[in-house]
């Protein structure tokens, strides 16, 4: 379960927390960051797509993408 998700929404970066208002948006090319408390963050580079937020669920549909793995 993610604590925070950041997506490259069409109108700019968008941060999503639990209890967010339901929302649908286009995604622009950029990075998605998924933050887990007490665990490593996960980051993905995407070419675009859609994000749908439904209360405590985030659904992301992308055209193309890959997970970024790097040592920090």
């Amino acid at each position: 379960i993610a604590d925070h998700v950041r997506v490259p929404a069409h109108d700019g970066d968008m941060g999503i927390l639990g209890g967010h208002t339901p929302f649908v948006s286009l995604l622009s090319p950029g990075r998605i960051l998924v933050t887990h408390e007490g665990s490593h963050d996960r980051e993905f580079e995407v070419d675009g797509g859609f994000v749908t937020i439904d209360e405590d669920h985030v659904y992301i549909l992308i055209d193309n993408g890959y997970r970024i793995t790097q040592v920090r």
Side-chain angles (χ1 to χ4, degrees):
I1 298 175
D3 294 309
H4 178 260
V5 178
R6 186 185 72 217
V7 298
H10 183 67
D11 294 333
D13 279 359
M14 177 177 168
I16 305 162
L17 298 170
H20 196 287
T21 303
F23 191 81
V24 176
S25 178
L26 289 171
L27 293 178
S28 295
R31 291 191 175 183
I32 294 173
L33 176 65
V34 181
T35 303
H36 301 271
E37 186 175 329
S39 182
H40 295 286
D41 296 345
R42 294 181 182 169
E43 196 166 13
F44 303 86
E45 185 76 27
V46 299
D47 288 343
F50 294 91
V51 61
T52 301
I53 304 156
D54 183 15
E55 295 181 16
D56 288 336
H57 296 90
V58 178
Y59 304 95
I60 298 172
L61 177 65
I62 60 170
D63 299 323
N64 291 298
Y66 59 91
R67 184 170 177 188
I68 298 170
T69 55
Q70 60 183 342
V71 178
R72 290 184 181 189

